[in-house]
Amino acid sequence: MLKKLVVVVIVVVIIFAGALAAIRFYMKPTEALDLNYQEVAISGKIADIILSRKLEVQLTEQDMNNLVKKQLAMHRTLPNDFRIEGTKLILQGSTIEADVNVTWHDQVAIGAKMHFKMSWNAPDMEIQLVDAQVKGMRLPNEWLQIPTIEIPLEEHLPKLIGVRDVLFDEKGIRIQLKLLR
C-alpha cells in the first residue's frame, strides 16, 4: 500500500514538472529583443524642415522605436516582479503593436504582444497600454501595470521652437512646430 502511494506521488510530481516545463517552453519569446536605442535628435531634422518649407517634423517607426525603448529602459522593472528585457514596435497610426520580452522573477522568460494607444497631451506624447497577450491569451492589465509612457518632445528641440500639435498617420508621426517668443 505504501509502495503504491510512493509511486503515485512520484508520477504526479513527474507529470507536474513536465507540465511546468511545457508551459515555460510555450511562453518563451520567439525572438531575442533588447532595449538598445539610439538618441533621436528631432532638432537634427531641421534640413527636412527647410526642404519642405513647413514647420513640421516626421518621426518614423524607427524613431518611435528608439524613443519608446529609451523610456522603457529607464523603467524596466514592473510591479508583480516583471522586468522588461526587450521590445520591437510596429507603428499603426495612433496605435503601437509591440512584441515585448519580459521576465518574471528573473527566471521565466515570456514573449508578449502588447497594444498601446498614443495621444498628444501637451507638452508630452503619452503612450498607454491597451492590452497584453501571451500566445493569443489576453492578460489582465493589472498583472503588468505598465505606467503611461510620457515622451517630452520639446526636450529634443532647440529652445526657440515648441510643439503646436502632433498628428498620427500611417507613415509615422508628424510633429507640427511653432516658433516661441
Side-chain angles (χ1 to χ4, degrees):
M1 179 74 161
L2 185 60
K3 194 174 187 180
K4 286 183 181 180
L5 182 62
V6 170
V7 169
V8 168
V9 168
I10 290 173
V11 168
V12 168
V13 167
I14 290 172
I15 290 172
F16 184 71
L20 282 178
I23 289 170
R24 193 171 183 171
F25 179 77
Y26 179 72
M27 291 187 342
K28 78 177 185 174
T30 55
E31 65 180 301
L33 302 173
D34 59 39
L35 288 177
N36 296 335
Y37 63 90
Q38 297 175 354
E39 286 292 333
V40 175
I42 296 173
S43 61
K45 296 182 181 256
I46 299 296
D48 295 338
I49 294 173
I50 293 169
L51 290 173
S52 69
R53 296 182 184 171
K54 294 180 185 177
L55 276 175
E56 189 173 275
V57 173
Q58 181 87 17
L59 291 181
T60 64
E61 186 172 88
Q62 185 60 43
D63 293 334
M64 282 306 298
N65 230 327
N66 287 319
L67 288 170
V68 171
K69 281 184 176 187
K70 179 180 180 180
Q71 294 298 318
L72 290 175
M74 293 189 296
H75 305 95
R76 293 177 81 140
T77 305
L78 302 172
N80 301 320
D81 210 14
F82 283 99
R83 180 179 165 90
I84 299 173
E85 299 297 331
T87 187
K88 178 178 74 174
L89 307 177
I90 299 170
L91 196 57
Q92 300 171 337
S94 65
T95 60
I96 295 175
E97 183 178 293
D99 291 322
V100 182
N101 290 354
V102 296
T103 56
W104 183 55
H105 291 286
D106 289 328
Q107 294 180 358
V108 180
I110 302 169
K113 186 168 291 289
M114 297 181 186
H115 295 93
F116 295 90
K117 184 78 175 162
M118 294 185 292
S119 61
W120 168 242
N121 188 8
D124 299 324
M125 183 168 33
E126 295 181 344
I127 302 173
Q128 292 183 308
L129 177 66
V130 175
D131 68 14
Q133 301 173 3
V134 174
K135 303 291 185 185
M137 295 185 316
R138 190 165 191 272
L139 299 176
N141 289 351
E142 301 82 43
W143 285 12
L144 295 176
Q145 296 179 6
I146 295 178
T148 299
I149 299 168
E150 295 177 344
I151 300 175
L153 295 176
E154 291 185 350
E155 280 184 8
H156 301 279
L157 296 171
K159 292 183 181 184
L160 297 176
I161 297 177
V163 177
R164 182 170 28 110
D165 199 7
V166 175
L167 304 171
F168 304 98
D169 57 32
E170 295 306 315
K171 296 178 185 174
I173 298 169
R174 289 185 298 148
I175 302 172
Q176 296 178 335
L177 304 173
K178 63 182 176 183
L179 296 174
L180 300 176
R181 296 178 187 221

